[in-house]
CSV table of all heavy atoms in Angstrom, one decimal:
chain,number,residue,atom,x,y,z
F,9,ILE,N,89.7,42.5,156.8
F,9,ILE,CA,88.3,42.4,157.3
F,9,ILE,C,88.1,41.1,158.0
F,9,ILE,O,87.6,40.9,159.1
F,9,ILE,CB,87.3,42.6,156.3
F,9,ILE,CG1,87.4,44.1,155.8
F,9,ILE,CG2,85.8,42.4,156.8
F,9,ILE,CD1,86.5,44.4,154.6
F,10,LEU,N,88.6,40.0,157.4
F,10,LEU,CA,88.5,38.7,158.0
F,10,LEU,C,89.3,38.6,159.3
F,10,LEU,O,88.9,38.0,160.2
F,10,LEU,CB,89.0,37.6,157.0
F,10,LEU,CG,88.1,37.4,155.7
F,10,LEU,CD1,88.7,36.4,154.8
F,10,LEU,CD2,86.7,36.9,156.2
F,11,PHE,N,90.5,39.2,159.2
F,11,PHE,CA,91.3,39.2,160.4
F,11,PHE,C,90.6,39.9,161.6
F,11,PHE,O,90.5,39.4,162.7
F,11,PHE,CB,92.7,39.9,160.2
F,11,PHE,CG,93.3,40.3,161.5
F,11,PHE,CD1,93.9,39.3,162.4
F,11,PHE,CD2,93.3,41.6,162.0
F,11,PHE,CE1,94.5,39.6,163.5
F,11,PHE,CE2,93.9,41.9,163.2
F,11,PHE,CZ,94.4,41.0,164.0
F,12,CYS,N,90.1,41.1,161.3
F,12,CYS,CA,89.3,41.9,162.3
F,12,CYS,C,88.1,41.0,162.9
F,12,CYS,O,87.9,41.1,164.0
F,12,CYS,CB,88.8,43.2,161.7
F,12,CYS,SG,90.0,44.5,161.6
F,13,THR,N,87.5,40.3,161.9
F,13,THR,CA,86.3,39.5,162.4
F,13,THR,C,86.8,38.4,163.4
F,13,THR,O,86.1,38.3,164.4
F,13,THR,CB,85.7,38.9,161.2
F,13,THR,OG1,85.5,39.9,160.2
F,13,THR,CG2,84.3,38.3,161.5
F,14,MET,N,87.9,37.7,163.0
F,14,MET,CA,88.3,36.7,163.9
F,14,MET,C,88.9,37.2,165.2
F,14,MET,O,88.6,36.7,166.3
F,14,MET,CB,89.4,35.9,163.2
F,14,MET,CG,88.8,35.1,162.0
F,14,MET,SD,89.9,33.8,161.4
F,14,MET,CE,91.2,34.8,160.7
F,15,HIS,N,89.6,38.4,165.1
F,15,HIS,CA,90.1,39.1,166.3
F,15,HIS,C,89.0,39.4,167.2
F,15,HIS,O,89.1,39.2,168.5
F,15,HIS,CB,90.9,40.3,165.8
F,15,HIS,CG,91.8,40.9,166.9
F,15,HIS,ND1,92.4,40.2,167.8
F,15,HIS,CD2,92.0,42.2,167.1
F,15,HIS,CE1,93.1,41.1,168.6
F,15,HIS,NE2,92.9,42.3,168.2
F,16,LEU,N,87.9,40.0,166.7
F,16,LEU,CA,86.8,40.4,167.5
F,16,LEU,C,86.1,39.2,168.1
F,16,LEU,O,85.8,39.2,169.3
F,16,LEU,CB,85.8,41.2,166.7
F,16,LEU,CG,84.5,41.6,167.5
F,16,LEU,CD1,84.9,42.5,168.7
F,16,LEU,CD2,83.5,42.3,166.6
F,17,ALA,N,86.0,38.1,167.3
F,17,ALA,CA,85.4,36.9,167.9
F,17,ALA,C,86.1,36.4,169.1
F,17,ALA,O,85.5,36.1,170.1
F,17,ALA,CB,85.4,35.8,166.8
F,18,GLY,N,87.5,36.5,169.0
F,18,GLY,CA,88.3,36.0,170.1
F,18,GLY,C,88.1,36.9,171.2
F,18,GLY,O,88.0,36.5,172.4
F,19,ASN,N,88.2,38.2,170.9
F,19,ASN,CA,88.1,39.3,172.0
F,19,ASN,C,86.8,39.3,172.7
F,19,ASN,O,86.6,40.0,173.7
F,19,ASN,CB,88.4,40.6,171.4
F,19,ASN,CG,89.9,40.8,171.1
F,19,ASN,OD1,90.6,39.9,171.3
F,19,ASN,ND2,90.2,41.9,170.6
F,20,LEU,N,85.7,38.7,172.1
F,20,LEU,CA,84.4,38.8,172.7
F,20,LEU,C,84.4,38.2,174.2
F,20,LEU,O,83.7,38.7,175.1
F,20,LEU,CB,83.4,38.1,171.9
F,20,LEU,CG,82.9,38.8,170.7
F,20,LEU,CD1,81.8,38.0,169.9
F,20,LEU,CD2,82.3,40.2,171.0
F,21,SER,N,85.4,37.3,174.4
F,21,SER,CA,85.4,36.7,175.8
F,21,SER,C,85.9,37.7,176.8
F,21,SER,O,85.9,37.4,178.0
F,21,SER,CB,86.3,35.5,175.7
F,21,SER,OG,87.5,35.7,175.2
F,22,LEU,N,86.4,38.9,176.3
F,22,LEU,CA,86.8,40.0,177.2
F,22,LEU,C,85.6,40.5,177.9
F,22,LEU,O,85.7,41.2,179.0
F,22,LEU,CB,87.6,41.0,176.5
F,22,LEU,CG,89.0,40.7,176.1
F,22,LEU,CD1,89.6,41.7,175.2
F,22,LEU,CD2,89.9,40.6,177.4
F,23,TYR,N,84.4,40.3,177.4
F,23,TYR,CA,83.2,40.8,178.0
F,23,TYR,C,82.9,40.0,179.3
F,23,TYR,O,82.1,40.4,180.1
F,23,TYR,CB,82.0,40.7,177.1
F,23,TYR,CG,82.0,41.8,176.0
F,23,TYR,CD1,82.2,41.5,174.7
F,23,TYR,CD2,81.7,43.1,176.4
F,23,TYR,CE1,82.1,42.6,173.7
F,23,TYR,CE2,81.7,44.2,175.5
F,23,TYR,CZ,81.9,43.9,174.1
F,23,TYR,OH,81.9,44.9,173.2
F,24,LEU,N,83.6,38.9,179.5
F,24,LEU,CA,83.5,38.1,180.7
F,24,LEU,C,84.5,38.6,181.7
F,24,LEU,O,85.7,38.8,181.4
F,24,LEU,CB,83.8,36.6,180.4
F,24,LEU,CG,82.9,35.9,179.4
F,24,LEU,CD1,83.4,34.5,179.2
F,24,LEU,CD2,81.5,35.9,180.0
F,25,PRO,N,84.1,38.9,182.9
F,25,PRO,CA,85.0,39.3,184.0
F,25,PRO,C,86.1,38.3,184.4
F,25,PRO,O,87.1,38.6,184.8
F,25,PRO,CB,84.0,39.7,185.2
F,25,PRO,CG,82.9,38.9,184.9
F,25,PRO,CD,82.7,38.7,183.5
Side-chain angles (χ1 to χ4, degrees):
Chain F
I9 294 174
L10 290 176
F11 163 73
C12 281
T13 312
M14 293 193 295
H15 192 36
L16 177 60
N19 287 358
L20 284 180
S21 52
L22 285 167
Y23 282 111
L24 299 174

